[in-house]
Amino acid sequence: MSAGADRRFDHWFAQRGWKIFPFQREVWRAALKGDSGLLHATTGSGKTYAVWFAALLRAAATKEKGRRKAGLRVLWITPMRALAADTLRALQTSAADLAPAWTVDARTGDTSSGDRARQARRLPDALVTTPESLTLMLSNADARERFAQLDMLVVDEWHELMGNKRGVQTQLALARLRLWNPGLVVWGLSATLGNLARAGEALLGAAPVKPGVTVEGRVRKDIVVDTLIPDHPSRFPWAGHLGIQMLQPVIAEIERHATTLVFTNTRSQAELWYQNLLDARPDWAGRIALHHGSLDREVRDWVELGLKSGQLKAVVCTSSLDLGVDFLPVERVLQIGSAKGVARLLQRAGRSGHAPGRASRVTLVPTHSLELLEAAGAKQAVAERDIESRPVPDKPLDVLVQHLVTIALGGGFRSGELYEEVRGAWSYRDLTPEEWQWALDFVARGGQSLTVYPEYRRVLPDGEGVYRVPDAAIARRHRMGIGTIVSEASIQVKFMSGGRLGSVEEGFISRLRAGDHFLFGGRILEFVRVHEMTAYVRRATGAKGAVPRWQGGKMPLSSELAHAALERMRLATEGVYDGPEMRAVRPLLEVQQRWSALPTPGVTVVERMRSREGHHLFMYPFAGRAVHVGLASLFAWRLARARPATFSIAVNDYGFELLAPEEVAWPDTMDLFSDERLLEDVLASLNATELSQRRFREIARIAGLVFQGYPGQHKSARQLQASSSLFFEVFRKHDADNLLLTQAQREVLEQELELRRLRATLRELRARAVSLHEVKRATPFGFALMVERFREKLSTEKLSDRVARMLRELEKAAGP
DNA sequence: AGAGCCCTCTCGACAT
């Protein structure tokens, strides 16, 4: 490291009264040597400056060698546009001091077209951008020339990207940039993960020139997790998810602190909490706010600004404030309901005490009694830093197909060369020549079944074997569809007078009639009419309204949290109830123990019960709701194979219930727990085709089969679903080997059913003892499932059989 | 061996 540069940086930090952390210097040294790597650091630890100064040092060094030419030197990738703005400001101020000649800019969707035109002529020295914008730049014919001077690339919040298709798209872009600049230095910034080593590998590619370095940002961050204990734990409900009983304690917490973030798990829950807070404290109008992903960007900007300026006392939010509040003064973080995972809890805790050396604190607010148990487990898992891994997707072909068209636009490609390049991306390291050929054929001819449609012949080789996009309309359509995020079709919500509020899903609006009231954006609105995918509303008074529901993913409880909860129950069986959470949940656990038993890491509890509804079987494997859906359907299927029967199924994160109207001979559990023919049984027990078809919608969009429509004139969900279903059917009939179909099925099994975890759970079930109990009434664990029941109704009985059974019952009722 | 649930399911980007 040049002594001069070193001194300047020391001075820069000293001026601000900031201490240079050893890990920062470690990154500078490594990057100067040309090493790439992963920096594992918490937010608010000075991680941004660690890598940014590395870039400035490298620039200084190469400048000294006289190699400086105009062009983009540093690329900074961030997963969120909102984050880009704050990062940009931090980078610009330091560059102004240290490298005044540098231009630092952002390129995101927010940039006005004037800026873009200027950037198109000449890129700045450093650019802050998103994976999608980067890919878009790669689709320009002169991409290579523009990136020729690049010598450092930083991916911020890599842990947010690595586990999804956005991360895969980033990997593909990186493979390309590395090929153009073999000396490219790449650094990822990641929060704590169960699989940090994998994070580094995925970022640096399948065949790195040099092994990557991992730097630990060892700034000790104390994390405090505690719980708001209900005033009367013995009268706290056994089920439910809203947690409004905790309103008063939450108000008291908000009262006591300057700024509080109140995290909820769903958007509708956020709406309800906000409304309840305002009803209880009308004096807080204007001092508390609501923030979630369906609110209009302008509304959210206003809220974020209010937080920054300290005007807001509390914000009720969803994960929309998980990221991007790095520069906000938040004193207190509350989490209503289960945090579902340790990583998520840490992330949220990190929103408070956001400065080097200050402790972060999150307070759990249970919404039912068993969440007290979960809270005790969460505390332990956080203390042990037992954090979830994020699996990296394995060669998703929809993303590859999109990439092929992007590269055909960005200068064209030769098949063999691009194949090698793509295999340099970690996710595609095992891509076979056959798979490659399939993907190429798919974009060149439309595969087996679409050959007659010219719009699916998207790339063509020229006389020299270079694949390009021959058609301007196809090119434009492709650029408009770049990216891997597929959202539900939604309807804009606007006041009659014109103000934009946000969006709700089509299905919700279609159930409303003119004059109906609903709660959205913290206001009671009267629905007027729908016109061109916009719902017009006016302010309503008095009466409460329906709360919109959104269709989101259903996040299961993580294994880490589930195991911690089981462990706490094992201690409880030994009479150990330590901590306020365990003491509060003690009466409930004792009832469970008296009526039945407590599930522990070594014991599976199974309960049988008869009621007017029929014959119930409850089981509590603690494997998360996705696995319980799989297990319940699998068991129902296996039971019904022995003797046809209909089962109603209910699941939650702790267990599941099977209910049969008629007597069922429950067989030996070990037969149920077998993983023989597991895949076949799982596929048969669930409607696998329907699940794949739903999944295929996303794949068809990413692969460029379905066009979302031009901005502002979005197609309706029905239209989009119809066209993706059409492709699904055509492929199934005429192109059964279509690899996108295979991918849809694989994604269902891996992501929606968590097949690996299901298999692991079956293994655990076989190893554990079964504690079987005949119960007269639902136990505390069973009660929650009974409440849950009619949401998830599944049947293994064919319709005709069901009709036959109903007829039999009718006959019985009618008598002889 | 008391009754207990108001309704559930995040986020993120790009393009004319």
Side-chain angles (χ1 to χ4, degrees):
Chain A
M1 186 175 322
S2 109
D6 226 6
R7 268 200 308 278
R8 267 159 63 213
F9 295 128
D10 287 355
H11 180 65
W12 193 89
F13 276 83
Q15 254 182 345
R16 283 157 179 77
W18 293 356
K19 161 175 178 241
I20 296 183
F21 293 108
F23 79 84
Q24 294 177 319
R25 222 181 273 280
E26 206 181 322
V27 172
W28 302 341
R29 299 234 153 95
L32 269 188
K33 274 197 333 208
D35 285 339
S36 295
L38 190 74
L39 169 58
H40 165 216
T42 54
T43 48
S45 64
K47 59 166 190 167
T48 302
Y49 292 116
V51 283
W52 172 239
F53 286 168
L56 290 177
L57 280 169
R58 280 181 63 78
T62 49
K63 187 180 178 181
E64 282 157 20
K65 283 190 214 137
R67 184 172 83 72
R68 181 88 161 94
K69 270 203 284 176
L72 183 64
R73 323 292 303 285
V74 178
L75 202 50
W76 187 288
I77 313 287
T78 160
M80 267 177 76
R81 293 195 311 218
L83 223 54
D86 283 328
T87 310
L88 181 66
R89 227 164 295 128
L91 303 191
Q92 276 172 338
T93 46
S94 45
D97 296 352
L98 289 166
W102 270 48
T103 49
V104 187
D105 213 338
R107 180 176 193 140
T108 67
D110 284 342
T111 317
S112 72
S113 51
D115 288 345
R116 283 191 183 209
R118 184 171 49 74
Q119 276 179 10
R121 285 194 299 277
R122 188 188 173 282
L123 284 168
D125 299 287
L127 188 67
V128 182
T129 191
T130 59
E132 287 78 9
S133 286
L134 169 59
T135 304
L136 195 63
M137 286 188 261
L138 289 181
S139 79
N140 291 326
D142 58 353
R144 178 164 198 162
E145 194 188 318
R146 290 182 177 282
F147 288 109
Q149 298 301 315
L150 193 67
D151 60 15
M152 188 151 167
L153 188 143
V154 181
V155 186
D156 198 5
E157 313 277 355
W158 175 235
H159 59 279
E160 281 291 320
L161 296 169
M162 65 176 278
N164 56 43
K165 290 178 181 175
R166 298 184 76 197
V168 176
Q169 187 155 59
T170 311
Q171 287 182 46
L172 284 168
L174 275 171
R176 175 130 272 235
L177 295 175
R178 267 196 304 267
L179 186 81
W180 289 343
N181 308 282
L184 183 67
V185 170
V186 175
W187 279 82
L189 305 179
S190 171
T192 312
L193 280 174
N195 56 342
L196 267 182
R198 173 57 43 84
E201 281 176 335
L203 182 73
L204 301 185
V209 200
K210 278 175 156 185
V213 186
T214 302
V215 173
E216 291 281 337
R218 289 190 199 284
V219 177
R220 180 67 204 157
K221 194 87 187 162
D222 287 321
I223 294 165
V224 180
V225 179
D226 52 16
T227 309
L228 279 192
I229 306 291
D231 287 340
H232 305 284
S234 56
R235 274 191 270 145
F236 203 55
W238 288 5
H241 74 279
L242 287 177
I244 294 295
Q245 304 87 349
M246 296 299 284
L247 189 65
Q248 284 312 323
V250 166
I251 286 177
E253 283 304 310
I254 295 175
E255 186 91 81
R256 274 203 290 277
H257 298 88
T259 317
T260 305
L261 288 184
V262 182
F263 279 103
T264 61
N265 282 336
T266 71
R267 286 166 279 188
S268 53
Q269 193 180 17
E271 293 275 356
L272 281 165
W273 264 90
Y274 176 74
Q275 203 60 33
N276 276 279
L277 283 172
L278 268 190
D279 283 351
R281 291 296 300 262
D283 57 311
W284 281 354
R287 302 208 51 215
I288 64 173
L290 177 66
H291 192 286
H292 62 69
S294 290
L295 296 176
D296 193 74
R297 187 69 246 179
E298 238 174 72
V299 178
R300 294 158 65 181
D301 284 344
W302 178 85
V303 174
E304 285 165 36
L305 214 68
L307 265 177
K308 268 181 214 187
S309 62
Q311 310 246 313
L312 287 174
K313 190 156 182 56
V315 175
V316 184
C317 60
T318 61
S319 320
S320 55
L321 280 184
D322 260 351
L323 290 176
V325 282
D326 285 16
F327 304 86
L328 305 184
V330 175
E331 200 175 301
R332 199 80 178 83
V333 174
L334 304 180
Q335 162 70 42
I336 315 261
S338 170
K340 304 280 188 187
V342 185
R344 227 161 106 95
L345 193 58
L346 287 176
Q347 173 85 20
R348 292 185 173 176
R351 299 303 95 196
S352 72
H354 202 280
R358 276 176 54 195
S360 292
R361 174 174 173 204
V362 58
T363 299
L364 300 168
V365 183
T367 63
H368 60 73
S369 293
L370 284 176
E371 271 178 0
L372 287 162
L373 171 74
E374 226 188 273
K379 246 176 149 168
Q380 179 186 331
V382 165
E384 290 164 8
R385 296 289 194 276
D386 186 11
I387 297 166
E388 295 84 11
S389 296
R390 302 208 190 212
V392 177
D394 189 31
K395 49 181 171 187
L397 290 181
D398 51 348
V399 183
L400 179 61
V401 160
Q402 187 184 108
H403 188 65
L404 292 189
V405 182
T406 299
I407 301 310
L409 280 167
F413 65 85
R414 287 174 204 278
S415 171
E417 287 167 10
L418 188 56
Y419 175 52
E420 282 312 311
E421 178 187 320
V422 162
R423 291 208 318 157
W426 199 84
S427 284
Y428 298 97
R429 69 203 180 285
D430 294 329
L431 189 75
T432 65
E434 292 75 28
E435 288 163 332
W436 170 259
Q437 202 50 51
W438 182 87
L440 185 60
D441 184 59
F442 192 72
V443 291
R445 293 197 311 132
Q448 287 275 313
S449 47
L450 304 173
T451 42
V452 296
Y453 303 102
E455 64 264 44
Y456 297 108
R457 293 199 287 269
R458 289 178 280 175
V459 307
L460 270 184
D462 62 15
E464 302 182 349
V466 177
Y467 285 84
R468 295 178 200 282
V469 176
D471 183 291
I474 289 176
R476 196 178 54 157
R477 217 178 92 152
H478 179 77
R479 289 205 175 94
M480 285 175 48
I482 279 180
T484 59
I485 300 174
V486 178
S487 349
E488 291 294 325
S490 57
I491 284 200
Q492 294 298 311
V493 181
K494 271 188 196 168
F495 278 126
M496 295 296 282
S497 51
R500 287 205 313 264
L501 285 158
S503 56
V504 292
E505 284 171 18
E506 254 183 308
F508 174 76
I509 287 290
S510 67
R511 282 195 301 275
L512 295 181
R513 283 176 315 177
D516 282 355
H517 289 185
F518 68 103
L519 182 63
F520 178 70
R523 295 183 172 98
I524 304 210
L525 304 170
E526 181 193 325
F527 172 63
V528 182
R529 66 191 158 92
V530 173
H531 181 62
E532 289 187 340
M533 300 305 281
T534 304
Y536 290 92
V537 299
R538 61 167 73 101
R539 230 177 269 268
T541 43
K544 306 229 164 196
V547 181
R549 290 149 67 159
W550 288 270
Q551 202 57 252
K554 297 185 178 174
M555 234 173 337
L557 186 72
S558 78
S559 303
E560 284 72 6
L561 270 189
H563 282 142
L566 282 175
E567 183 55 28
R568 298 309 301 224
M569 281 192 285
R570 188 187 63 75
L571 288 171
T573 59
E574 294 170 3
V576 180
Y577 289 90
D578 55 349
E581 296 85 359
M582 290 307 285
R583 281 195 290 276
V585 77
R586 179 172 192 157
L588 180 92
L589 293 187
E590 284 174 346
V591 170
Q592 174 72 29
Q593 219 168 354
R594 262 202 314 277
W595 297 3
S596 162
L598 290 180
T600 67
V603 179
T604 305
V605 173
V606 180
E607 292 164 356
R608 291 197 299 214
M609 186 179 91
R610 291 184 61 164
S611 76
R612 260 179 313 174
E613 290 182 288
H615 299 254
H616 308 250
L617 178 86
F618 297 96
M619 202 182 285
Y620 313 109
F622 271 70
R625 58 174 304 128
V627 165
H628 293 151
V629 169
L631 276 183
S633 332
L634 179 73
F635 291 175
W637 163 260
R638 286 178 173 176
L639 288 166
R641 203 167 37 190
R643 189 173 146 212
T646 302
F647 293 96
S648 299
I649 290 175
V651 303
N652 63 19
D653 276 321
Y654 309 137
F656 62 87
E657 177 204 18
L658 294 182
L659 166 64
E662 294 178 335
E663 175 94 55
V664 177
W666 307 108
D668 182 22
T669 46
M670 285 305 146
D671 293 340
L672 287 181
F673 296 168
S674 160
D675 64 4
E676 208 176 303
R677 288 178 42 87
L678 177 62
L679 190 63
E680 291 95 317
D681 284 2
V682 166
L683 288 176
S685 69
L686 288 151
N687 192 339
T689 310
E690 198 184 304
L691 289 176
S692 305
Q693 176 162 3
R694 231 187 311 142
R695 196 78 205 178
F696 188 75
R697 188 178 76 94
E698 176 188 307
I699 292 172
R701 228 289 284 139
I702 296 174
L705 290 172
V706 176
F707 183 48
Q708 297 268 72
Y710 292 96
Q713 42 157 24
H714 280 292
K715 293 181 183 172
S716 75
R718 228 184 37 234
Q719 283 172 302
L720 285 175
Q721 184 64 55
S723 47
S724 89
S725 312
L726 198 64
F727 283 110
F728 189 77
E729 286 308 321
V730 167
F731 291 161
R732 266 162 47 95
K733 282 206 189 86
H734 307 291
D735 185 9
D737 295 331
N738 190 302
L739 293 183
L740 296 179
L741 289 180
T742 324
Q743 189 189 329
Q745 194 183 69
R746 207 180 68 192
E747 286 183 11
V748 167
L749 289 174
E750 282 171 6
Q751 290 162 37
E752 280 171 54
L753 291 170
E754 297 196 279
L755 192 67
R756 288 175 56 130
R757 193 173 169 194
L758 177 65
R759 192 167 263 139
T761 305
L762 283 171
R763 200 180 319 120
E764 281 173 18
L765 288 177
R766 287 196 301 272
R768 287 178 192 165
V770 170
S771 170
L772 178 67
H773 301 266
E774 304 285 345
V775 295
K776 291 207 183 69
R777 56 189 313 139
T779 62
F781 278 58
F783 179 79
L785 285 162
M786 305 256 299
V787 169
E788 190 88 19
R789 176 123 31 81
F790 289 98
R791 303 237 177 81
E792 202 98 30
K793 198 159 186 178
L794 270 152
S795 171
T796 51
E797 191 183 43
K798 287 201 299 266
L799 185 63
S800 52
D801 296 343
R802 188 180 299 182
V803 171
R805 184 172 58 76
M806 284 165 63
L807 282 175
R808 270 203 315 278
E809 279 166 1
L810 265 179
E811 277 163 13
K812 249 193 272 172

